[in-house]
């Protein structure tokens, strides 16, 4: 008995792009969520965009290392580690249309296929955040994904290293810059909760007074370089101002605490992903479509301007050629008018009475000259006649 084809997915898969600083546990987090989806019967489709990684603890369906040799790129273009990663991503971005076509086909399998389409597309990125987020290739990859699938940014944060107010605020500013650069929904993933609970981070994000208390405590301890009361007034004032500024920013974020090592909080993470999927379809997708229409309109207007300029250049060239032809024709007519036949007595004329030979023969008949014979005689006679 034939195996029935799986039912078509009610909605397209959601793309989860994992971004995090080196050492934040980003790749381990990718391994954990991949295993979690496999064990719960929700097989994902995974992509590895880190060309410099030696070993990936999960089996990627698409791996940048299969088509780009990172070390060979460094050697060929005489680049350092970051330049090699950036150039590898740029080279890989030239194939983004093939990747998107492959993902779209996988998301909508043929009726004869026996495999269910994935509900999640997991993307692992290099640990050098700036190389991916702020490069042209990173923008191309993210925009291409977002144009075809709901896309969510998972920003992985090392919780133990973010326990102080200064490092916490640094991570929040980095998250803010990524959010406004990518213009995609974001989830803050506080990793390594098995080492330190992330409850303090949630308090600082939701209660401004809690952050003020922690800031005052650190100031009292001289964390900012001072002794006793006060510490560094500039540093505490700066952190205080930034916390006020980011209060509006926190309202647009989802925050979850997870442990990539033990698996705690992973299900809560996927619940947040589904919320961000709805947010993408409600708020971000219309904006992306509007920007795409603007780009298409600008492209059409540019093509029209190029065509108009091209036609104008052709008209100018045709008019110039016509004018030049008329001027040449006028000069030829003037030359014909200025030519006097008497100025060229030796020229052949249509009138037989004025040709040289006829004049010579006429002179012979009239007896004005004697035939000297040959060409010499003709020349002598013409001189006398002339």
């Amino acid at each position: 008995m034939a195996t029935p084809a799986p039912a078509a997915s009610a909605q397209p898969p959601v793309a989860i792009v994992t971004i995090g600083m080196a050492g934040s546990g980003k790749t381990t987090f990718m391994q954990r969520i991949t295993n979690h989806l496999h064990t719960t019967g929700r097989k994902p489709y995974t992509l590895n965009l880190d060309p410099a990684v030696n070993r990936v603890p999960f089996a990627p369906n698409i791996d940048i290392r299969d088509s780009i040799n990172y070390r060979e790129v460094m050697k060929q273009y005489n680049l350092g580690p970051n330049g090699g990663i950036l150039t590898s991503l740029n080279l890989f971005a030239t194939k983004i249309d093939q990747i998107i076509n492959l993902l779209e086909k996988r998301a909508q399998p043929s009726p004869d296929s026996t495999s269910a389409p994935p509900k999640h597309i997991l993307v692992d990125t290099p640990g050098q955040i700036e190389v991916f987020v702020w490069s042209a290739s990173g923008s191309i990859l993210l925009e291409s994904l977002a144009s075809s699938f709901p896309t969510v940014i998972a920003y992985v944060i090392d919780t133990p290293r973010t326990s102080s107010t200064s490092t916490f605020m640094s991570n929040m500013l980095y998250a803010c810059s990524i959010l406004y650069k990518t213009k995609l929904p974001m989830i803050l993933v506080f990793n390594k909760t098995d080492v330190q609970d992330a409850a303090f981070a949630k308090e600082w994000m939701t209660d401004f007074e809690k952050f003020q208390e922690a800031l005052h405590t650190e100031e009292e301890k001289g964390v900012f370089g001072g002794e006793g009361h006060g510490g560094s007034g500039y540093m505490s004032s700066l952190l205080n101002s930034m916390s006020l500024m980011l209060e509006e920013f926190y309202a647009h974020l989802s925050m979850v605490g997870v442990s990539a090592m033990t698996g705690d909080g992973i299900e809560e993470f996927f619940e947040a992903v589904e919320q961000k999927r709805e947010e993408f379809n409600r708020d971000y997708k219309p904006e992306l479509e509007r920007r795409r229409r603007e780009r298409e309109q600008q492209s059409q207007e540019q093509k029209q301007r190029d065509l108009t300029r091209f036609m104008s250049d052709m008209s100018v060239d045709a008019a110039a050629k016509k004018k030049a032809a008329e001027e040449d024709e006028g000069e030829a007519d003037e030359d014909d008018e200025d030519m006097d036949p008497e100025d060229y007595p030796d020229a052949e004329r249509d009138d037989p009475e004025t040709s040289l030979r006829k004049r010579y023969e006429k002179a012979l008949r009239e007896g004005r000259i004697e035939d000297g014979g040959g060409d010499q005689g003709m020349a002598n006679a013409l001189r006398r006649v002339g």
Side-chain angles (χ1 to χ4, degrees):
M1 184 177 179
T3 304
S9 179
Q11 53 187 354
V14 57
I16 304 172
V17 182
T18 306
I19 296 175
M21 295 184 183
S24 62
K26 174 178 56 64
T27 302
T28 307
F29 172 73
M30 274 286 298
Q31 179 190 24
R32 173 60 64 179
I33 60 176
T34 302
N35 291 342
H36 179 80
L37 291 175
H38 276 284
T39 55
T40 56
R42 298 173 289 176
K43 185 177 180 181
Y45 201 87
T46 57
L47 287 77
N48 173 46
L49 299 182
D50 189 353
V53 65
N54 289 327
R55 187 183 68 86
V56 178
F58 55 90
N61 298 97
I62 297 177
D63 195 336
I64 187 175
R65 299 175 301 169
D66 293 338
S67 55
I68 306 295
N69 189 326
Y70 163 70
R71 297 191 180 279
E72 189 62 29
V73 168
M74 289 178 58
K75 181 179 178 181
Q76 182 175 351
Y77 295 99
N78 193 25
L79 300 171
N82 287 348
I85 294 174
L86 178 59
T87 304
S88 298
L89 285 172
N90 290 339
L91 294 172
F92 190 72
T94 61
K95 305 178 182 180
I96 189 60
D97 56 334
Q98 304 175 28
I99 297 170
I100 296 300
N101 289 336
L102 184 60
L103 292 175
E104 289 176 345
K105 290 180 180 179
R106 186 66 184 87
Q108 297 178 350
S110 62
D112 298 335
S113 176
T114 58
S115 59
K119 294 183 179 180
H120 301 87
I121 298 173
L122 307 181
V123 183
D124 192 17
T125 60
Q128 292 78 359
I129 299 179
E130 66 282 356
V131 171
F132 179 78
V133 175
W134 299 100
S135 66
S137 55
S139 298
I140 292 172
L141 291 166
L142 286 176
E143 290 181 4
S144 300
L145 268 178
S147 64
S148 299
F149 307 100
T151 305
V152 177
I153 301 294
Y155 180 52
V156 181
I157 300 173
D158 188 341
T159 305
R161 294 183 182 178
T162 318
S163 56
S164 68
T165 56
S166 57
T167 54
F168 172 82
M169 192 56 61
S170 298
N171 270 286
M172 294 302 102
L173 288 174
Y174 222 130
C176 181
S177 65
I178 294 172
L179 176 68
Y180 289 110
K181 176 63 173 66
T182 61
K183 296 182 175 63
L184 293 171
M186 176 182 287
I187 302 173
L188 296 182
V189 182
F190 282 85
N191 193 19
K192 304 182 182 180
T193 55
D194 55 309
V195 178
Q196 182 169 353
D197 192 3
F200 73 93
K202 188 172 184 178
E203 282 185 349
W204 290 355
M205 290 177 62
T206 56
D207 191 341
F208 174 74
E209 293 182 356
K210 291 291 184 181
F211 182 80
Q212 291 294 311
E213 291 177 4
L215 182 62
H216 182 70
T217 301
E218 291 183 359
E219 189 176 6
E220 289 290 326
K221 293 179 179 179
V223 173
F224 303 123
E227 293 294 337
H229 293 280
S232 175
Y234 168 77
M235 189 64 178
S236 59
S237 177
L238 176 63
L239 293 175
N240 185 40
S241 300
M242 287 191 295
S243 64
L244 287 171
M245 178 193 69
L246 293 178
E247 189 173 4
E248 180 70 18
F249 165 69
Y250 295 149
H252 299 281
L253 296 179
S254 294
M255 176 267 184
V256 293
V258 303
S259 172
M261 185 64 65
T262 64
D264 291 339
I266 296 299
E267 194 58 48
E268 288 79 1
F269 168 75
F270 282 105
E271 291 176 1
V273 167
E274 291 304 314
Q275 294 175 3
K276 290 301 177 180
R277 179 210 290 269
E278 297 176 1
E279 182 180 332
F280 177 90
N281 292 327
R282 183 184 66 249
D283 301 331
Y284 288 82
K285 188 175 181 180
E287 175 65 15
L288 291 174
E289 291 177 350
R290 184 188 65 80
R291 285 158 49 193
R292 182 168 61 247
R293 287 194 300 268
E294 287 181 354
R295 287 195 299 268
E296 291 175 354
Q297 182 178 356
Q298 292 174 359
S299 178
Q300 291 297 328
E301 291 175 355
Q302 183 62 41
K303 289 179 181 179
Q304 185 63 37
R305 287 194 295 268
D306 293 342
L307 179 60
T308 302
R309 185 165 57 250
F310 176 70
M311 297 301 294
S312 177
D313 293 343
M314 288 187 63
S315 300
V316 171
D317 291 343
K321 290 180 180 179
K322 182 179 180 181
K323 183 177 180 181
E326 292 175 351
E327 290 177 353
D328 292 342
E329 184 177 353
E331 292 175 359
D333 293 341
E334 290 177 2
D335 293 341
D336 293 341
E337 292 174 359
D338 295 341
M339 184 183 295
D340 187 356
E342 296 301 328
D343 294 338
Y344 302 93
D346 295 336
E348 286 290 334
R349 298 176 176 85
D350 295 335
D351 186 0
E353 293 296 324
T354 59
S355 66
L356 293 177
R357 186 168 294 280
K358 291 298 182 180
R359 290 169 63 193
Y360 174 70
E361 292 175 354
K362 182 178 180 181
L364 283 176
R365 287 195 302 270
E366 294 176 352
R368 291 185 293 161
I369 59 174
E370 296 180 357
D371 188 4
D375 293 337
Q376 185 63 38
M378 180 178 178
N380 294 333
L382 287 174
R383 280 197 297 273
R384 290 195 295 272
V385 172

